[in-house]
Amino acid sequence: QLAVPYFRTMEAAYGLQPGMAQAQFSTSAFRSTTKKDHMQEPQESEALIAIVGDDPSARRGLQRLVRSVGWKAETFASAQEFLAHARIEPPSCVVLDLQLPGLSGLDLQKRMAEAGLETPIVFLTGHGNIPASVQAIKAGAIEFLTKPFDEQDLLRAMQEAIERDRRTREHKMALSERDSRASSRHFRNPPNGEHPGSRLEGRLCLCWMGIGV
C-alpha cells in the first residue's frame, strides 16, 4: 500500500501513462527484470554517483536505484549546487538532466571540461532532442537516455562510466608515479655528474680547516 503513492509520483516524474509505473516497477524502486540476472554485478562498491536534476521525486527514485546495486549516491537540484559542493574526491559518474534552472546540463558539462573535471556523464532527460544528444555525446558523455527509460540501460551506462573513471584515475596515478621516479633519479644522478649536496659539503670541509671560501 505504501508503494502505490510512490509509483504514482514516479509516473509523473518519468512521463509514464497512469498505471504503467506500478506495473513496471513492481519489485524494486525501478523496474526489475530478468535482464539483471545476466548483467555483470557491479564490483566498485566505493563508486559515488552524483545525480543532478530539478525534480525531487526523480532524484529520490534514482538515488534508491543507485543504492540498490551497492553504489553511493548524492543528489543536487541544480548545476550551481553541484559546482558549489566541496568534495575531496570527485564522483565516479554524474547522472545529469538536460533542462535545469540556471545552467543547463550541457552548460554544466562544458564547465566541468573547462575545470578539468573528467567525471563521465550520463544524460537522463525528458526533453531530449537530436541536436542536444549529438552535442552531449561529442563532448564525451557516456550515454543520452530519454524518459521513460529502462533501468537496465541506465545501470549499464553508469557501470560503463564507473569503469571509464577507474581507468582514468589509474592512468593519472601511473603518470604521477612515473614522474616521481624520474625526479628521484634526477636528484640521485644529476646530468653533470655532481651530487647536489657535494658542493655544499666541500665548502663546509674547507671552513672547518680554516680556509676561507
Side-chain angles (χ1 to χ4, degrees), residues 23-40:
Q24 292 181 338
F25 299 93
S26 57
T27 58
S28 69
F30 281 70
R31 180 169 55 191
S32 178
T33 68
T34 54
K35 292 180 183 178
K36 190 171 183 179
D37 296 333
H38 301 288
M39 178 183 171
Q40 181 180 356

Side-chain angles (χ1 to χ4, degrees), residues 42-187:
Q43 299 299 317
E44 298 84 355
S45 60
E46 294 302 312
L48 172 62
I49 310 297
I51 301 163
V52 186
D54 60 345
D55 187 323
S57 62
R59 291 198 304 271
R60 288 193 295 270
L62 289 170
Q63 187 177 49
R64 291 189 185 99
L65 175 64
V66 168
R67 290 176 175 174
S68 73
V69 294
W71 297 326
K72 295 178 291 185
E74 55 184 11
T75 63
F76 305 92
S78 68
Q80 291 90 331
E81 184 180 345
F82 172 80
L83 291 171
H85 180 67
R87 56 176 62 84
I88 298 176
E89 286 289 334
S92 306
C93 169
V94 177
V95 177
L96 180 58
D97 200 349
L98 185 64
Q99 292 190 357
L100 296 167
L103 294 174
S104 70
L106 292 174
D107 290 333
L108 177 56
Q109 184 184 35
K110 183 178 179 181
R111 291 283 186 93
M112 290 171 62
E114 292 173 347
L117 184 58
E118 300 179 11
T119 303
I121 295 174
V122 175
F123 277 92
L124 179 62
T125 180
H127 308 279
N129 56 70
I130 293 176
S133 64
V134 170
Q135 181 178 344
I137 297 299
K138 287 181 66 176
I142 292 287
E143 185 60 274
F144 193 100
L145 300 173
T146 56
K147 304 172 187 177
F149 62 92
D150 188 305
E151 79 166 33
Q152 297 304 313
D153 292 337
L154 177 57
L155 287 172
R156 278 189 289 268
M158 288 192 290
Q159 189 159 6
E160 182 181 346
I162 292 170
E163 179 62 22
R164 179 191 290 186
D165 179 71
R166 182 188 63 79
R167 291 195 302 266
T168 298
R169 295 186 192 218
E170 289 179 350
H171 179 66
K172 287 184 176 180
M173 184 177 297
L175 290 178
S176 177
E177 292 176 351
R178 186 193 66 182
D179 292 343
S180 177
R181 289 194 297 269
S183 298
S184 178
R185 286 196 299 268
H186 180 81
F187 181 81

Side-chain angles (χ1 to χ4, degrees), residues 183-205:
S183 298
S184 178
R185 286 196 299 268
H186 180 81
F187 181 81
R188 292 195 303 268
N189 305 292
N192 59 7
E194 181 182 20
H195 192 279
S198 60
R199 183 174 299 178
L200 176 60
E201 292 172 358
R203 290 171 64 89
L204 291 174
C205 182

